[in-house]
Amino acid sequence: MKTINGVVPVMLTPFTENNEIDYPGLSRLIDWYLQRGVDALFAVCQSSEMQYLSLQERVELAHFVVQQVDGRVPVIASGHISDALDQQIEELAMMAGTGIDALVLVTNHLDPKNLGSATFFSTLEALLAALPASMPLGLYECPAPYRRLLTDEELAFCANSGRFVVLKDVSCDLATVTRRVQLVANTPLNIINANAAIAYPAMLAGSKGFSGVFTNFHPELYHWLYHQGAQQPALAEELATFLSLAAVSETLGYPKNAKIYHQRLGTFGSEFCRVNKDNVLEKFWGLGVILDQIHTGTEFYQKKIVE
């Protein structure tokens, strides 16, 4: 069973202008991540626009990422978008067969109407019985269609089951991350924070990495912060502030703004986005300048962390 920790980008899905998955562009994007030292990849997640992908597209996407990565880092994937139990079993079983290293369950689909732990455990029990026992699992508190945070009892059950290796924590609360780290101690389950504002303090509190949306802009800076930041605490605090402020622009049309960023880098050719049809550069005044500033700031800190 592979350990999932470190910097785990939530992967984008490039599309062509004709609304088809741009696989050559995706191959270049995978290379871009790997060249920046990421520790794993999270394919077929919300940043991948998974709610707007067919089941066939989700499965093919995960399989392509696994093939392209070729064992260089672990690949985890979700594609878990259904509420009906039979559909959940179908989509998760198909995703489990793509060669991924861990299959990620979305917490809100375990309790679609937010009825509470009884529903959560009932759905989880059915999925655990249906999925291969050898398949490592993860949990993701995906914000859509609603953010369903795990209770301590639910998290402890999953951690102590031995089947779960990672939680993408979306509590965005340092006290919660700290408590959860303590709760899962001495189990296979790692807590990985997704909130840039608390990225560094969460790492210091025991979060096993970072898996927020700005891994699509400068994953190498988060990688340095996690693996080497403690050795240079003053620079780590300075960098953490830049990363937190840069990530505020997530609200300005993500994931399309990330696609524009990569279009400018030459990673892929189109900003086409299924989840966001807006002209975000026009809608959010100053976004183009902000993206330039993020790029300039990224280059500045790339130099500082190697001095």
Side-chain angles (χ1 to χ4, degrees), residues 12 40 43 54 64 71 75 81 118 123 131 142 153 200 206 221 233 235 238 246 254-256 292 301:
L12 302 171
S54 68
F64 182 87
V75 176
I81 69 170
T123 306
L131 295 171
C142 181
E153 179 188 10
Y200 187 49
L221 300 184
L235 178 56
E238 178 186 327
Y254 182 82
K256 181 173 276 192
D292 288 338
Y301 281 104

Side-chain angles (χ1 to χ4, degrees), residues 31-82:
D31 289 342
W32 182 88
Y33 292 129
L34 295 176
Q35 289 163 6
R36 281 151 184 79
V38 304
D39 299 287
L41 287 172
F42 190 175
V44 199
C45 54
Q46 185 173 6
S47 287
S48 313
E49 304 175 65
M50 67 179 183
Q51 293 93 342
Y52 294 80
L53 298 170
S54 68
L55 177 55
Q56 181 179 349
E57 286 176 321
R58 280 175 269 150
V59 170
E60 289 177 353
L61 192 63
H63 185 259
F64 182 87
V65 175
V66 169
Q67 293 295 110
Q68 290 295 304
V69 170
D70 194 24
R72 287 174 285 179
V73 298
V75 176
I76 66 176
S78 181
H80 185 198
I81 69 170
S82 297

Side-chain angles (χ1 to χ4, degrees), residues 205-266:
S207 170
K208 297 297 183 181
F210 182 72
S211 187
V213 302
F214 262 68
T215 52
N216 285 309
F217 290 79
H218 33 224
E220 69 278 15
L221 300 184
Y222 286 103
H223 184 273
W224 182 90
L225 197 64
Y226 179 66
H227 290 283
Q228 297 174 263
Q231 300 167 26
Q232 298 186 58
L235 178 56
E237 292 287 353
E238 178 186 327
L239 174 58
T241 299
F242 166 71
L243 293 173
S244 178
L245 293 175
V248 172
S249 59
E250 175 188 349
T251 60
L252 306 179
Y254 182 82
K256 181 173 276 192
N257 56 12
K259 293 188 169 187
I260 293 169
Y261 192 81
H262 276 278
Q263 188 181 37
R264 292 179 175 186
L265 293 177

